[in-house]
């Protein structure tokens, strides 16, 4: 079965500092996509970053970057220069041949002023 | 451009009542997905359309749940004879390709 594990239920970071959110996944497929989504308290799920499994280069989007370790099936998200607006629940997700997203349980990130 | 929209945003239903939740995908998006999100949990897949064809309904929890997308655009998720365990946020997502999905704001359903 395809699974996504986010073992940290919550984290806290000081504004302007860097934080890393962990995610591991399990799949037997070779071609797949990994995502981090952000869900603020308003509940709109927003795409943060995406990684294609066939690409060795780690994806980056402004202050957000990933550390993708395919052999270890690890996909962590690094947020640099944390801002108050980064406070949200963050979900790691996976999709493969069946098109549907499989999500982890999420991690609540709080950015302290 | 407009994102995915869902209506109603909130719905309170009495146990046994039927409800219909609507999703308007991003214009031109071929694929449409429904997910159910329990409080404090990650979304769980319900069903998936490509145009008007329902390609996967393996996540629908019971035969009380029914989804349709008759013209390949707007989709409706219907829940018959609602039960308290149906209380959740129902998320709709659409995609142009089958990799990146964009989500709507969700419909929060509370069954009393």
């Amino acid at each position: 079965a395809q699974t996504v594990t986010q073992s940290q239920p919550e984290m806290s970071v000081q504004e302007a500092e860097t934080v890393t959110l962990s995610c591991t996944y399990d799949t037997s497929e070779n071609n797949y996509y990994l995502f981090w989504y952000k869900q603020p308290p308003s509940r709109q799920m927003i795409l943060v970053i995406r990684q294609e499994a066939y690409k060795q280069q780690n994806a980056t989007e402004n202050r957000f970057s990933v550390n993708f370790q395919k052999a270890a099936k690890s996909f962590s998200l690094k947020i640099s220069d944390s801002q108050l607006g980064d406070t949200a629940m963050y979900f790691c997700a996976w999709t493969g041949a069946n098109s549907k997203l499989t999500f982890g349980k999420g991690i609540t990130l709080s950015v302290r002023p | 451009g407009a994102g995915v929209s869902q209506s109603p945003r909130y719905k309170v239903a009495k146990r046994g009542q039927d409800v219909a939740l609507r999703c308007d995908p991003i214009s031109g998006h071929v694929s449409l997905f429904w997910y159910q999100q329990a409080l404090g949990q990650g979304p769980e897949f319900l069903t998936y359309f490509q145009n008007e064809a329902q390609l996967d309904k393996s996540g629908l929890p019971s035969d009380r749940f029914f989804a349709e997308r008759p013209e390949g655009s707007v989709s409706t998720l219907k829940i018959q004879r609602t039960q308290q365990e149906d209380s959740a946020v129902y998320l709709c997502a659409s995609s142009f390709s089958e990799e990146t999905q964009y989500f709507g704001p969700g419909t929060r359903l509370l069954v009393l």
Side-chain angles (χ1 to χ4, degrees):
Chain A
Q2 332 287 4
T3 58
V4 177
T5 302
Q6 295 179 253
S7 56
Q8 309 152 303
E10 53 186 80
M11 288 190 75
S12 179
V13 64
Q14 193 73 32
E15 193 176 7
E17 295 191 344
T18 296
V19 64
T20 298
L21 311 182
S22 302
C23 173
T24 58
Y25 60 94
D26 188 24
T27 179
S28 56
E29 296 187 29
N30 196 42
N31 295 320
Y32 53 88
Y33 299 82
L34 295 160
F35 305 86
W36 279 97
Y37 282 92
K38 167 186 176 181
Q39 191 174 43
S42 66
R43 303 200 74 88
Q44 179 96 37
M45 190 81 76
I46 302 165
L47 177 67
V48 174
I49 199 165
R50 148 194 159 134
Q51 174 80 42
E52 295 91 338
Y54 62 85
K55 288 188 177 178
Q56 291 188 330
Q57 187 173 5
N58 289 324
T60 62
E61 283 288 340
N62 301 313
R63 297 183 296 108
F64 300 89
S65 61
V66 299
N67 182 4
F68 173 47
Q69 302 289 330
K70 190 172 183 179
K73 296 181 178 167
S74 169
F75 183 62
S76 61
L77 175 69
K78 185 171 83 171
I79 306 174
S80 304
D81 185 26
S82 297
Q83 300 175 0
L84 296 179
D86 295 334
T87 292
M89 200 151 183
Y90 286 81
F91 292 96
C92 178
W94 172 99
T95 189
N98 62 14
S99 300
K100 61 188 180 186
L101 283 168
T102 299
F103 287 85
K105 290 188 174 182
I107 176 171
T108 301
L109 176 67
S110 300
V111 180
R112 305 186 305 274
Chain B
V4 179
S5 61
Q6 293 186 244
S7 60
R9 293 292 310 277
Y10 302 92
K11 176 69 179 178
V12 179
K14 292 183 179 179
R15 189 159 56 97
Q17 189 178 353
D18 296 350
V19 298
L21 313 179
R22 176 188 169 104
C23 173
D24 279 271
I26 293 171
S27 178
H29 278 196
V30 170
S31 301
L32 186 146
F33 303 80
W34 283 99
Y35 295 85
Q36 181 189 60
Q37 186 176 22
L39 189 64
Q41 300 294 315
E44 300 263 352
F45 170 79
L46 292 177
T47 187
Y48 156 51
F49 292 85
Q50 191 170 86
N51 296 306
E52 67 278 3
Q54 189 174 20
L55 298 187
D56 187 346
K57 54 181 181 179
S58 61
L60 296 176
S62 76
D63 58 8
R64 295 186 296 103
F65 286 70
F66 171 76
E68 59 183 5
R69 193 185 185 198
E71 297 179 357
S73 178
V74 170
S75 176
T76 303
L77 176 67
K78 297 179 180 177
I79 309 173
Q80 297 177 323
R81 304 181 304 281
T82 51
Q83 304 294 315
Q84 287 185 322
E85 61 263 28
D86 300 334
S87 296
V89 176
Y90 291 85
L91 297 171
C92 176
S94 70
S95 69
F96 178 72
S97 66
E98 291 184 341
E99 299 94 26
T100 303
Q101 298 178 27
Y102 297 91
F103 284 81
T107 294
R108 184 178 298 214
L109 173 65
L110 177 62
V111 181
L112 301 176

